[in-house]
Amino acid sequence: GEDVEQSLFLSVREGDSSVINCTYTDSSSTYLYWYKQEPGAGLQLLTYIFSNMDMKQDQRLTVLLNKKDKHLSLRIADTQTGDSAIYFCAESSHGGYNKLIFGAGTRLAVHP
Amino acid sequence: KAGVTQTPRYLIKTRGQQVTLSCSPISGHRSVSWYQQTPGQGLQFLFEYFSETQRNKGNFPGRFSGRQFSNSRSEMNVSTLELGDSALYLCATSPGENTEAFFGQGTRLTVV
């Protein structure tokens, strides 16, 4: 079946790196996504990775994909207070067109 | 380029009523998907439309329906509202299949 799991909370000090982890079950997923949600807002697409890639870097964001273990991670370098939000991992469901399966979200708290 | 526009942003309805939510996609995007977000169930896929056809549907009762117009704008309708329908309803639009999905700010529906 389709399932995406994430840890629920992460607390980091400002300036440190944050690593948010995610596991998924659908080995045929073509795309894997990271979204950010701030209070009262919709979902902001941060980055995505094709399933045939191992890594993608975009400024302070680094996505690592271990397809064998079905493990996805998002690293945020030099974490700032503005990064405090909920981060969602999502996989595209194979054959499901644009159907995304989301994890429960990881709440990132950045403290001074 | 304008983003995904959802209207209205907030709604309060009474049990038993019906409601219609609207989503205007990014120009050129032909796929519109709808999601329900609640604290208990997280983000759940409702349905997806492409070129006015529903291509995929999630596990929601028949009270939840949608449609897409020739200009790709989409509406979703919930009839006979229940308290449990209180949620943030998000729409996401994509240019094609299994590509990036961009979300609107959502419509927060409260059923009293």
Side-chain angles (χ1 to χ4, degrees):
Chain A
E2 304 160 334
D3 197 17
V4 177
E5 293 191 358
Q6 301 177 239
S7 52
L8 295 182
F9 300 101
L10 178 64
S11 179
V12 300
R13 191 181 301 276
E14 192 174 12
D16 287 351
S17 291
S18 307
V19 179
I20 302 171
N21 294 300
C22 168
T23 57
Y24 61 97
T25 56
D26 189 349
S27 58
S28 58
S29 290
T30 24
Y31 284 66
L32 293 138
Y33 303 84
W34 285 103
Y35 284 89
K36 175 184 179 182
Q37 187 176 38
E38 296 180 270
L43 299 178
Q44 176 193 353
L45 177 62
L46 287 177
T47 187
Y48 63 94
I49 188 167
F50 295 109
S51 57
N52 63 358
M53 296 170 65
D54 298 323
M55 186 183 88
K56 181 178 180 181
Q57 189 155 1
D58 185 1
Q59 300 182 338
R60 292 191 298 124
L61 305 178
T62 303
V63 179
L64 294 178
L65 175 60
N66 181 328
K67 202 171 178 184
K68 174 176 168 289
D69 294 337
K70 299 192 186 75
H71 183 266
L72 183 73
S73 68
L74 173 69
R75 178 176 179 269
I76 305 172
D78 186 26
T79 312
Q80 302 297 308
T81 54
D83 296 323
S84 294
I86 300 177
Y87 291 80
F88 291 93
C89 164
E91 62 173 350
S92 61
S93 172
H94 179 69
Y97 302 104
N98 293 318
K99 174 183 178 180
L100 297 181
I101 308 299
F102 285 88
T106 299
R107 182 177 296 276
L108 174 64
V110 183
H111 55 88
Chain B
K1 201 174 195 183
V4 180
T5 304
Q6 290 189 246
T7 55
R9 288 292 311 277
Y10 303 94
L11 266 179
I12 300 176
K13 289 285 188 179
T14 305
R15 272 182 302 173
Q17 288 187 313
Q18 74 164 10
V19 67
T20 299
L21 313 181
S22 177
C23 174
S24 293
I26 293 170
S27 178
H29 286 199
R30 297 168 64 192
S31 168
V32 178
S33 303
W34 288 89
Y35 294 82
Q36 181 196 64
Q37 185 178 28
T38 59
Q41 299 298 317
L43 280 152
Q44 293 188 290
F45 173 80
L46 280 156
F47 28 64
E48 189 251 0
Y49 287 87
F50 186 89
S51 293
E52 301 178 67
T53 300
Q54 185 185 91
R55 298 195 299 184
N56 207 347
K57 192 176 190 307
N59 294 325
F60 280 82
R63 299 185 298 106
F64 292 81
S65 64
R67 59 178 176 168
Q68 186 180 34
F69 303 94
S70 58
N71 62 357
S72 294
R73 189 177 72 85
S74 177
E75 289 180 347
M76 68 163 280
N77 185 277
V78 188
S79 62
T80 320
L81 283 165
E82 301 177 358
L83 295 179
D85 298 332
S86 294
L88 180 66
Y89 290 89
L90 294 159
C91 89
T93 77
S94 304
E97 290 187 24
N98 281 325
T99 56
E100 311 100 292
F102 296 91
F103 282 79
Q105 292 290 87
T107 294
R108 183 162 298 279
L109 171 66
T110 302
V111 182
V112 298

